[in-house]
Amino acid sequence: RRSRPTANCYSALMTAARTEILVIDDEPQIHRFLSPALDAAGYDARRADSGQEGLRAIALWSPDAVVLDLGLPDMDGKDVLIRAREFYAGPIIILSARDREAEKITALDLGANDYVEKPFGVGELLARLRVNLRQTAARPEITAPVVAGDVTIDLDRRLVSRGGQPVRLTPKEYDVLARLARDPGKVIGHRDLLVAVWGAAHADDTQYLRVVIGQLRQKLEIDPAQPTLILTEPAIGYRLTA
């Protein structure tokens, strides 16, 4: 006979159902007012006070979203962002007192989903969290990794391996490879790739693409001078053999 769940089981199920938000910030006052606000909004707030602690927490808990400060005591938040993007695909919202436009552009280019300046309103941060969580939920699920030769591309988890060993890619290298992997065997035009990865303002900057394709071949091809995985279609674009 099937046993009834206990009260503790119900409590655990309710806790597990809550959306987890990891806040990586070394300022105690940020956690003091942000944790109750997240809890009141229906989120399960988790805390990390340094970059290394934050990376361990992301790997351990795989939170639904991350709020990341750039000014951490042990490492720059941008370095945390770069390393997190090697294995974490969820929303990352930057929370920082650095208000220079160049800082925002760099963080977004490195893979951040949004940028909120300190001091900030809790309502604005919660609204940005809701938007990014909705966008993540709306993305179609990837059921199987893409395999090209001995290279495996897991689009769901943003992981790339060659011969079973992980390959470290920059955000731009990964974005180009991912665009090719979404249509394996199909030629993707220069303009399509440039707009998808760098934006419409760089639709004609083919030198950006040549550099990144060359870097990908160095990391993924057996012989980069004679590529068999990422092929060039002259004057048109590139395709991934699969």
Side-chain angles (χ1 to χ4, degrees), residues 98-115:
R98 305 177 189 175
D99 59 357
R100 298 192 303 274
E101 183 180 11
E103 286 281 355
K104 298 178 186 178
I105 293 171
T106 300
L108 293 168
D109 280 344
L110 290 174
N113 296 81
D114 213 335
Y115 195 109

Side-chain angles (χ1 to χ4, degrees), residues 38-232:
L38 289 168
D39 183 70
Y43 300 119
D44 183 5
R46 293 181 177 269
R47 171 177 178 170
D49 297 312
S50 68
Q52 292 291 348
E53 185 181 346
L55 287 168
R56 286 194 297 270
I58 295 172
L60 180 63
W61 297 326
S62 188
D64 295 286
V66 174
V67 177
L68 171 63
D69 182 33
L70 292 185
L72 297 169
D74 58 338
M75 58 194 299
D76 192 281
K78 293 195 293 294
D79 294 326
V80 177
L81 175 61
I82 291 169
R83 291 176 59 182
R85 278 300 182 224
E86 294 174 3
F87 61 90
Y88 177 71
I92 298 179
I93 297 176
I94 299 298
L95 188 64
S96 178
R98 305 177 189 175
D99 59 357
R100 298 192 303 274
E101 183 180 11
E103 286 281 355
K104 298 178 186 178
I105 293 171
T106 300
L108 293 168
D109 280 344
L110 290 174
N113 296 81
D114 213 335
Y115 195 109
V116 178
E117 294 178 21
K118 293 180 179 179
F120 63 94
V122 173
E124 178 189 0
L125 179 61
L126 291 175
R128 291 176 185 261
L129 272 172
R130 288 194 297 271
V131 168
N132 282 282
L133 287 167
R134 281 199 302 268
Q135 290 174 345
T136 301
R139 293 173 189 161
E141 292 187 3
I142 305 300
T143 56
V146 176
V147 178
D150 65 346
V151 174
T152 300
I153 306 154
D154 188 332
L155 295 169
D156 194 27
R157 297 190 298 159
R158 292 179 65 93
L159 298 177
V160 178
S161 62
R162 178 184 171 190
Q165 297 300 313
V167 179
R168 297 187 64 171
L169 301 180
T170 68
K172 287 289 187 272
E173 289 169 358
Y174 175 82
D175 288 345
V176 170
L177 182 63
R179 178 64 191 88
L180 293 170
R182 289 189 180 97
D183 289 294
K186 177 181 176 182
V187 178
I188 309 300
H190 297 136
R191 190 178 186 86
D192 187 336
L193 284 163
L194 286 161
V195 171
V197 176
W198 283 272
H202 298 282
D204 298 317
D205 294 332
T206 54
Q207 70 273 16
Y208 290 4
L209 194 52
R210 284 196 296 270
V211 170
V212 172
I213 291 292
Q215 293 167 344
L216 282 170
R217 285 172 171 163
Q218 289 292 330
K219 294 181 179 182
L220 301 178
E221 298 278 2
I222 295 173
D223 181 0
Q226 296 183 341
T228 59
L229 297 177
I230 302 174
L231 302 182
T232 302

